[in-house]
Amino acid sequence: MTKAVTYNNWSEISETFSIQDETKGARSVLEWAYSNYPEGKIIYASSFGAEAIVLIDLIYQVKKDAQIVFLDTGLHFPETYDVIDKIEARFPELQIERKTPDLSLDQQAAEFGSALWKRDPNQCCQIRKVIPLREALTPRDAWISGLRREQSPTRKDTQFVNKDDKFQNIKICPLIHWTWDEVWSYIRERDLPYNELHDHNYPSIGCFPCTQAVGTDGDSREGRWSGSGKTECGLHSK
């Protein structure tokens, strides 16, 4: 039996938030989220990319001991782990969990062959991201995500509050109206730590085997799974 979701009128709820404030509605959405979902029933699934740094700072203003989960695939760049350490030092009250898959990389190689991400990236993401996130979300009713409409065509219709059929709960996306430039203006104004790979043409940062630097044109996701036709890890697809 799947857990019950709380709301059905997703678009109507999203439209109640004004985007005329300095955070384009993001802070209001977070205040609504943390007042509507009790302790332990809402979590932020964070990649610790640029959008994540903005969200963490905004979340900390609303709920200092918020729960955050990072899907630690074991394949992240050293720079990603470095920025998590810096965030933990900057925001010490946050409850950050580094969730690992049930299969270690050696176990995955033994069962599916080496470098699964090259032969079947969808299967690799399923094992190392989708299943761990499903486990993290099972006891919860809602999760927060840093999706922005500008990021790619697959995200252009994202609402503040979304029914998430994949994980049978509510997905809350406070930054949908932010631009890439606004994300960086906020980071610089607040002097927030960020992943240093962003300074080397990595707008979207995932696992190192499947992430490349990009040019200045195109959407911010084009450096992910380059040449494979894959655009999402599976967390935000049906």
Side-chain angles (χ1 to χ4, degrees):
M1 182 177 181
T2 58
K3 59 190 176 186
V5 292
T6 309
Y7 298 100
N8 291 309
N9 52 337
W10 321 111
S11 294
E12 291 178 16
I13 295 169
S14 293
E15 289 170 3
T16 65
F17 300 106
S18 171
I19 63 172
Q20 302 307 314
D21 63 15
E22 62 182 358
T23 67
K24 289 191 168 182
R27 179 162 178 144
S28 296
V29 171
L30 289 169
E31 290 171 345
W32 172 86
Y34 284 108
S35 65
N36 274 271
Y37 292 97
E39 187 79 24
K41 291 299 182 180
I42 183 170
I43 195 167
Y44 171 34
S46 179
S47 67
F48 288 87
E51 291 88 355
I53 302 308
V54 172
L55 262 181
I56 287 170
D57 188 70
L58 290 171
I59 287 171
Y60 199 70
Q61 296 171 34
V62 175
K63 185 171 175 57
K64 285 185 165 48
D65 61 346
Q67 296 178 348
I68 296 176
V69 62
F70 170 67
L71 303 177
D72 189 351
T73 63
L75 292 165
H76 289 287
F77 290 93
E79 291 87 347
T80 301
Y81 295 107
D82 287 345
V83 78
I84 296 174
D85 291 340
K86 292 175 182 177
I87 288 294
E88 287 177 328
R90 176 80 173 255
F91 305 101
E93 295 172 74
L94 289 175
Q95 301 179 56
I96 300 176
E97 175 190 3
R98 306 189 192 199
K99 184 166 181 57
T100 57
D102 288 340
L103 292 181
S104 69
L105 289 170
D106 287 342
Q107 290 170 328
Q108 179 174 297
E111 185 169 344
F112 296 96
S114 62
L116 179 61
W117 48 86
K118 290 183 179 179
R119 293 176 289 102
D120 192 346
N122 287 330
Q123 179 69 14
C124 189
C125 286
Q126 179 73 14
I127 294 167
R128 313 207 72 75
K129 287 188 174 182
V130 177
I131 292 174
L133 182 59
R134 181 174 289 116
E135 292 171 352
L137 296 183
T138 295
R140 297 177 170 95
D141 295 328
W143 63 297
I144 297 169
S145 172
L147 298 188
R148 293 183 299 109
R149 290 180 176 179
E150 184 192 61
Q151 285 173 321
S152 69
T154 61
R155 301 180 176 187
K156 65 182 178 61
D157 297 320
T158 305
Q159 302 291 322
F160 280 132
V161 182
N162 307 266
K163 182 182 179 182
D164 190 343
D165 291 319
K166 188 182 192 79
F167 296 111
Q168 292 293 306
N169 58 19
I170 309 303
K171 181 164 65 177
I172 299 165
C173 303
L175 299 181
I176 57 172
H177 295 291
W178 286 52
T179 66
W180 186 238
D181 287 343
E182 287 167 340
V183 167
W184 280 102
S185 291
Y186 187 93
I187 289 173
R188 293 186 179 106
E189 287 170 6
R190 303 278 293 179
D191 193 25
L192 298 172
Y194 63 86
N195 193 317
E196 293 179 3
L197 289 175
H198 287 307
D199 292 333
H200 302 283
N201 296 324
Y202 286 81
S204 178
I205 303 167
C207 298
F208 68 80
C210 303
T211 306
Q212 297 179 10
V214 301
T216 55
D217 298 325
D219 68 54
S220 66
R221 304 282 297 173
E222 70 174 342
R224 306 290 293 278
W225 308 284
S226 181
S228 70
K230 179 176 170 67
T231 59
E232 296 283 354
C233 60
L235 303 183
H236 304 291
S237 56
K238 296 181 179 179

